[in-house]
Each structure stands twice: as C-alpha cells, then as structure tokens.
Amino acid sequence: MRKNKLNEKRNVIANHSIQTALICLLLCTILVVFAACGGSADEEETTTVKETTTTATAAEEETTAATAEYTLTVDESITYQTIESFGASGAWWSQDVGGWTNEVDTGEEAREYIARLLFDPETGIGLTNYRYNLAAGYENSTEGITDSWRRGENFETEPGVYDWTKDENSVWFLKKAVEYGVEDVVFFVNSPIERLTITGSSYGAADEDGNTSNLAPENYEAFAKYVLDVTEHFVTEEGIPVTTISPINEPQWEWTSGQEGCHYTTTEMVDVLKVFINAISERDALDGVTISAPESGEWSNTGTAYFKAILADEELASYFTTLDSHSYWTDASGKKSFMTLMSTLGFTGSLRTTEWCEMTNGKNVTMASALPLAEEINDDLTILNVVSWQYWIAVSCYDYRDGLIYVNKTGKTVTVPKRLWAMGNYSKFIRPGAVRVDAAFDSEDVDTSAFLGTDGELIVVIINDNDTAATINLTGIEGYTAMQVHTTDADYDLECTYDGDYADSVEVTRKSVTTLVFTK
C-alpha cells in the first residue's frame, strides 16, 4: 500500500497548538466572507468527501475535504506485454456449489447466479480464464483432510479406466465457464491420484517432515498418463479449450495434512516436468497445450531455487517460454529483485501469476480487501509484466479474505464482496489481446496501469487508496472523443458513473478502483 502523504499532512495539522488552530479558523472565516462576495462556493462543495472522522478537529476536516490533484500521462508508443487472460480457480468449492440448484433473490439458481457473476462480460466481471482442479480422490485421505471442500474425486475406476460422470458438479462449472466464452482453461493438479502416491493418500510424504515427495519416481509416467488421458478426453470429447496443464503446485511446501498437496525437491520437479513434456509431445490431440511450471508459492525467497533449476536445465530452458508462479509473500521490492534475477539468468520470456489471495483471517466484503487485491494486480502487471493474472478460489465459505464470492454452505446463500468488482475493473475491460502501454502519475499516492484494446480503445485503471477523492488531469491523453468511467467504491459495484464526451479531468472517489475507457 502506498504511503498516504495527505494523512501525514493531517497528522501535522493535528499537532499544531491551539493558537495555530484559531488562526486557521480565522482565515477560513475570511475566505467564507470572500466567497460570499463573489468566490465560487459551489466549486468548493464539489470537493467535499462524504465521510469524515467524528473526532477530527476543524483543521483536520478542512484537510480531509480537500481533493488532491494528479496528472496522468500515457505514452502509447511505449508498449509492454500482451494480455492473455484474467481468471480464477474452481478448487475447493465447485465440487459442491456446482450442484446448488436452489433459487436465490435474483430468481436464478445459486450456481447460475455465481457463474454469471464470474464469467458474464455484460452483467458480471467477464473472467477469460478458468482453472479446473484435477483432484486426486479421497478414499484414503479423509483422515488427514477433514474439510470435504479441500479434496475431490478423480476420474479413475482402475488403471486406465475412467468414469466421466464423476466430479460432475465441478465439471458443470467448467462447462459453464466455456459457455460464457472462456477460451483459456488450465487443468491443474495439487496431488497425483491416490493410488500413485507413496502414502496412498493425496497428502503426506515418505518422511514425517514432508521433505520427500509423495510421488515415487517409478510412478512419474503413470502420473503423466492419467493427467494427459483426462485432458485429452475433455479436449476431444467435451470441447473444452484447455491451453495449459499444471502438474505441480507449490512444490516447496510440505503438504503433510489439511489439503491436497505434494512436495517436490528441485531435482524431482525437473524430472517430473521432463516426463510430462515428452509425453505430451506424443499426443497429437493435445497439440498446442503447454505445461505450466514451476507454480511456486512465491516469486522470490523459497521460489528462487525452482526457477533456477528450470533455467539451468537445457531441455526445460528451451521449452519454457513462459514461467508461472503464485504471488504470495512477495512485495514490490521482491518482485523487482526477481526481475533482476531473471535478466541475470538470461530469461527473456513472459510470466504469469497463477494464484493469489490476501492471506488474512476474517471475512471482509468492503473496499478494505478490494484495494489490496487491485494493488497486487497492478504490481504484477507493471513490475512483473505478467500476461495472465489468476485469482485463487473464486468462491469461499471460509472466515478468510479469499474468495471473490462468499457462500454459506448451510443455507446455500451468496454474498458478493467488493473484491469481485475490483477484479472486474481489470477483467471486464482488459480483454485478451490488449497491450499494456506506459502510464504514470506525477505522484506515488495513486497507482495506475493502461492498455490498448483490440478495438483501439484505451483502458486506464486507477487505484485511489487515499482517504480523499482525487481529481485526475487527463490533458496528457490525446486523440479520443468519448470516455466512460466505471467505479468500484463504498457506493458503487463496478458501475458506469460517466458515459459521454472526453473530458480534461475526472474525479475518482476515495478508497476506489476506477476504470476509464477512452474511445475515438
């Protein structure tokens, strides 16, 4: 979160002596008299912030009411990455929620309502990516994974024999995403199927500390065969546009209980990836489908060794033109250091963020959790130049700041947090093929990123995490005749708050995420 210079200023004012406060009040009185003699009181009123603290002094309230001014500069001649997609995963919820046919307040089935919010580009946030969880099965895993939402069915009935009616609720959401137009589907694995693991379950390892993989080397090929068999079925028989297979998930962690998972050392990861790359090359039906790696839990720190291991191997280094990772535990400084490392290692490909949520206890439906989400997306887009940004669980029943949507399992009710709409400020408008261009403010108090759409529109997303509204000077943007403003804040859920002629300036509200769309 950026430092709020206005808050600093407010704190200084609060520490003034009583005499200084009286002088300020006297000056304010003189200004009011002047306004009555011809000054524009109406212009001052337009800058008043709706909310002020009840304990603020008169001087503090005056500072809070002042709208900050910033100048936005966009240089369309400086281009960066081309966007593939924005998405979220179906793990830990779709195997249940996919069967929710009860009616909600909108008159829709609960599952239809959730699908519309996630994937509809008109009335929802128009996600263009969906991560389908290839679960490991749970016959032997219930003791260590007591939460049924953190495990799921696999399709195997015996080696090489499959029952495609299994995991039907998760498959319902997978197909619904595609019906809404999603063309970037990832099949990802948290653990190999139970029968292939050392422990016989979808968690654990050969040693108590979890430092040895739960997948024995002699089962690498069988693991790849299962994943590719299932993928090929959905591609050829179900018409699912699978673009990527992710066989490994956060390999650095132990995964000894609580949820599906499998640890891999860097050497084990390299060996597994080679088996998958060779196996998929022999499947004509999966031509164009790529393998994702390393799917580390973080860009820096524990993740560094996994990136180095891939790039140190000649076969893997030539295969992976895109590297994928989760964005946990890595701040802006860590991401900049990671980019320096990639340059040092000679990697010139692209990056994807394939998982993130705010790791904070307690449910939150307000902008307090929407703004960190937007800031994380902005950092990954502008520091890491990611071509795809994928959220963790799209739906949550937990007392946590995770899902884009909350549900109650008992009543099968749905609650929509501001997080959903804040992500929509990106996913709904920055469509596949959009190109990021250079954009900057004359202050670090607000964040931004800008994109040229495939239809020639300019999309600018602005994050105002300050306690005051902000007037954005747009005179640095030329060549556009019309604009729209789409606002997510305490009062608006990604709503169009302006649609008209191009204007030289626009006001963005306090604690908001705002998308500007300029057209010619």
Side-chain angles (χ1 to χ4, degrees), residues 81-87 126-130 181-186 243-244 290 321-324 349-354 381 385-390 427 430-436 451:
Q81 74 270 34
T82 299
I83 298 300
E84 294 176 351
S85 59
F86 289 89
L127 296 180
T128 48
N129 164 280
Y130 186 64
V182 169
E183 296 181 349
D184 181 12
V185 174
V186 178
T243 60
T244 312
T290 60
T321 57
T322 302
L323 293 174
D324 300 351
S350 57
L351 304 173
R352 298 187 189 103
T353 293
T354 50
L381 288 171
N385 296 326
V386 298
V387 297
S388 180
W389 201 93
Q390 299 158 22
S427 59
I430 306 168
R431 309 301 288 176
V435 177
R436 189 170 74 85
F451 304 82

Side-chain angles (χ1 to χ4, degrees), residues 181-426:
V182 169
E183 296 181 349
D184 181 12
V185 174
V186 178
F187 274 19
F188 78 101
V189 175
N190 289 312
S191 164
I193 57 175
E194 286 182 316
R195 76 168 176 88
L196 297 178
T197 63
I198 294 171
T199 63
S201 61
S202 60
Y203 66 93
D207 61 272
E208 293 182 357
D209 294 330
N211 294 321
T212 304
S213 177
N214 199 21
L215 180 65
E218 58 266 26
N219 286 335
Y220 288 177
E221 290 187 2
F223 174 36
K225 182 181 186 307
Y226 172 77
V227 173
L228 298 182
D229 282 354
V230 174
T231 305
E232 186 169 332
H233 165 80
F234 278 97
V235 169
T236 61
E237 303 299 324
E238 308 286 353
I240 302 300
V242 179
T243 60
T244 312
I245 295 170
S246 172
I248 293 174
N249 180 74
E250 297 185 355
Q252 66 263 63
W253 311 135
E254 292 83 4
W255 305 117
T256 54
S257 65
Q259 65 190 65
E260 288 186 348
C262 187
H263 173 79
Y264 297 91
T265 65
T266 55
T267 300
E268 290 167 336
M269 174 199 69
V270 167
D271 291 342
V272 169
L273 292 176
K274 286 184 175 181
V275 169
F276 268 85
I277 290 169
N278 291 329
I280 199 171
S281 68
E282 298 174 357
R283 300 218 181 195
D284 293 340
L286 298 181
D287 183 38
V289 179
T290 60
I291 304 300
S292 169
E295 296 278 6
S296 168
E298 52 187 348
W299 293 102
S300 57
N301 302 316
T302 62
T304 302
Y306 290 87
F307 289 100
K308 287 182 176 179
I310 289 174
L311 297 178
D313 184 271
E314 184 176 351
E315 180 182 349
L316 298 187
S318 63
Y319 178 85
F320 286 104
T321 57
T322 302
L323 293 174
D324 300 351
S325 179
H326 305 172
S327 211
Y328 300 110
W329 319 124
T330 314
D331 60 13
S333 176
K335 291 169 186 176
K336 291 175 183 177
S337 296
F338 175 81
M339 292 300 282
T340 300
L341 173 64
M342 289 296 99
S343 178
T344 301
L345 295 175
F347 180 71
T348 58
S350 57
L351 304 173
R352 298 187 189 103
T353 293
T354 50
E355 185 181 315
W356 182 86
C357 74
E358 187 181 6
M359 304 287 266
T360 304
N361 286 318
K363 286 186 178 179
N364 189 285
V365 299
T366 72
M367 292 302 295
S369 63
L371 288 163
L373 165 63
E375 289 167 347
E376 191 75 25
I377 296 174
N378 185 78
D379 280 353
D380 288 1
L381 288 171
T382 60
I383 298 175
L384 298 171
N385 296 326
V386 298
V387 297
S388 180
W389 201 93
Q390 299 158 22
Y391 193 73
W392 179 214
I393 52 175
V395 177
S396 170
C397 66
Y398 300 107
D399 189 25
Y400 209 71
R401 291 189 180 188
D402 45 7
L404 295 174
I405 295 171
Y406 283 124
V407 295
N408 178 282
K409 291 198 292 184
T410 302
K412 297 184 178 179
T413 56
V414 181
T415 302
V416 183
K418 293 291 182 178
R419 282 195 300 277
L420 176 83
W421 305 118
M423 184 155 184
N425 279 96
Y426 293 90

